[in-house]
Amino acid sequence: MSKEEMFKELADAVISCKKDAVDAAVEKARSEGIEPAEIIEKGLAAGMNEVGIMFERGKLFLPHVMLAAGAMESGVTILEADMPKDTASKKLGVIVNGTVEGDVHDIGKSIVSTMLQSAGFEVHDIGRDVPLQDFIDKIKETNADMVGLSALMTTTLPGQKAVIEMLKEQGLRDNIKVMVGGAPATENWAKKIGADCYAENASEAVAKAKELLV
Ligand code: B12
């Protein structure tokens, strides 16, 4: 089976909403020596994007989306074991990452955390629907070098801007880099709100974090 066929099988497994099919496709891709990051981005996430498109077109309903999300998470969990948690003896930097208040979407944010961690960053993933002040508190507590702010809805996107304002008000903005992401975020939005960078996906997030912190 070619790599492309393998990615399609992974994506189709997510679309089928079947956890067993996802787990089997992940095990297969893994045994073929495909990198976890590729399995996630070109296979599982591509499938989840398809699910999103079908949901938007009214071809799939929320329970399907929830099942597909659960199936994808199961596949990602298998792969997490393959990603070295502690690659560098000296950490590349400390990053607080979370999904802003009012937003429960966390699949993409968790992938970003996992990939940053396996790239050698110390990551404090504070979850989803996180009260904005909690980002600030965690940044202080961990003396973080960067904060990642995820938002998947146009209605929660302003939370990213609000955190940046809070960092300024509390005198912390000069000591921390801000990275924003999530489907409705864009490069332009990042510029507009004064973030340090935007990343479209997890690999790009790792590249940008290295650019800014290493
Ligand atoms: C899965 C999903 C759900 C799942 C979430 C499960 C979970 N644990 O996350 C469930 C079913 C729970 C859900 C619920 C809801 N959802 Co929903 N959901 C989706 C869906 C289909 C896919 C999102 C996803 O996981 N994609 C796959 C991952 C891998 O991609 P990703 O999240 O984009 O992440 C990548 C990048 O964005 C980036 N990234 C992400 N975060 C970060 C952070 C940083 C720092 C960086 C650098 C990068 C980065 O890297 C990631 C990896 O490559 C989207 C559709 C879409 N097109 O996005 C709708 C969508 C986001 N949902 C939507 C809505 C409206 C809802 C609900 C209100 C329910 C409803 N009535 O439809 C609730 C939200 C409740 C709430 N308060 O939050 C809307 C939002 C519309 C808007 N206003 O903008 C969307 C766009 C669908 C739609 N068109 O209607 N949803």
Side-chain angles (χ1 to χ4, degrees), residues 41 45 48-49 51-53 55-56 62 65-66 69 72-73 97-98 102-109 111-112 128 147-156 179-184 198-203 205:
E41 294 205 333
M48 201 63 218
N49 281 338
V51 168
I53 291 166
F55 178 60
E56 276 154 35
L62 206 57
V65 180
M66 292 173 81
M72 169 156 177
E73 273 166 13
N97 195 31
D103 198 324
V104 303
H105 298 89
D106 68 350
I107 299 174
K109 178 271 300 162
I111 293 172
V112 170
R128 57 185 181 178
V147 60
L149 303 168
S150 182
L152 260 288
M153 301 193 289
T154 47
T155 46
T156 52
M179 175 156 73
V180 296
Y198 156 77
E200 191 180 349
N201 55 45
S203 327

Side-chain angles (χ1 to χ4, degrees), residues 84-111:
K85 283 229 156 55
D86 206 358
T87 43
S89 52
K90 187 179 175 299
K91 293 284 178 195
L92 299 180
V94 179
I95 304 179
V96 169
N97 195 31
T99 305
V100 300
E101 196 165 49
D103 198 324
V104 303
H105 298 89
D106 68 350
I107 299 174
K109 178 271 300 162
S110 300
I111 293 172

